Amino acid sequence: MIIGSGLIAESFKKNKMFIDTLNENCLLFASGVSNSSETEKSKFKREYDFLVNSLENNNHEKVIYFSTLSIYDPTISSSNYIEHKLLIEEYLFSLSRKILVLRAPNIVGYGGNKKTLMNHFFSSVLNEKEIVLWRNAKRNLLAIDHLVEMTIELLQSQYVGRINIGFPFSYSPHEIIHEIEYFLNKRAKVKTLNKGQDYLKRLELDKNIKYYSNFPLYGKDNYINFLLKKYYSEYL
C-alpha cells in the first residue's frame, strides 16, 4: 500500500518493479510536508496525525518512511521541519512493526514542490530572479528514479532500521547554479553569503551512508547535467 500524492508517492506508484516487490503487508508512507522552510506548526501536526491514523487503520507488518539527511545540518537542526522528522522517526520505532526509515537528500524529479532546492534554483535562473547562495554549504542530489531503485534494493534485502542514502558526490550551490546556467544558456543573478556547512562530510568519513550503486554510469561531473536533461528539458 502506498499513501501519498506527491512526487515521491506517484513515482513509486508508477514503478512496476516496486509494485511487484511490495507485498500486502508493507505500507509506504510518502505524504506530508515537503518544504523544509515551512514554519506553520499546524501543517506538521496534520501530517503526524495522518500518519498515526493511517497506521492505526492499516495493520501492516512493515512501514517505509522518508526522512531527511538535513537532520545532520547544524544550521537548521532546531527548525520545525527537522524536529518534526525526528518526532516521526521516534514514533515509528516505538511501534512493534518492522520499520524502514530512509534519510534522503535533495530529491530531483518531474514537477514536485516548487520550493525544493533544484526547482527553486532552476526557476530562479529561468526567470532571472536573484538567488541567495551559502558559500560554505554542500548539497546532495538524488534522482527520484534512483531513490526508487535504492528502496527496492533495501526492500528485497529485508533491511529494517534507519539508513542514510544519497549520491556519492555532493555539490556546492555554485556548482549547481553553474550547471543550470550552462543548461539554460542564461546568467544567474546571485548573491553570496559567507554561511553554511558541509555537514555531509561527517557522514562520508563515518561511512554511515549507503550510496547509489550505479553512480559510475554518471560520475560526479555529469550527474547534475543528467538530472537537468531528464527532468527539465521541457523548459528548453
Side-chain angles (χ1 to χ4, degrees), residues 78-174:
S78 61
S79 69
N80 290 337
Y81 179 77
I82 297 303
E83 290 181 354
H84 168 71
K85 286 294 187 184
L86 291 174
L87 177 65
I88 287 185
E89 287 190 22
E90 183 179 354
Y91 163 71
L92 288 172
F93 285 106
S94 72
L95 304 175
S96 56
R97 305 192 194 189
K98 296 177 180 178
I99 305 297
L100 172 58
V101 170
L102 293 92
R103 290 173 170 170
N106 294 276
I107 301 302
V108 183
Y110 297 110
N113 192 313
K114 294 181 179 180
K115 295 184 179 180
T116 60
L117 179 83
M118 197 66 166
N119 283 349
H120 171 62
F121 281 2
F122 188 88
S123 176
S124 297
V125 177
L126 180 67
N127 297 302
E128 301 179 358
K129 294 182 179 180
E130 184 180 72
I131 316 168
V132 178
L133 302 182
W134 290 15
R135 185 189 309 277
N136 306 315
K138 283 290 183 71
R139 294 293 180 257
N140 195 277
L141 306 174
L142 187 67
I144 182 62
D145 302 84
H146 298 160
L147 173 66
V148 174
E149 287 181 32
M150 296 179 76
T151 305
I152 292 172
E153 290 179 8
L154 291 166
L155 196 57
Q156 292 174 335
S157 70
Q158 304 296 316
Y159 186 94
V160 292
R162 296 179 179 89
I163 187 166
N164 304 310
I165 64 173
F167 189 71
F169 304 101
S170 297
Y171 303 90
S172 70
H174 286 89

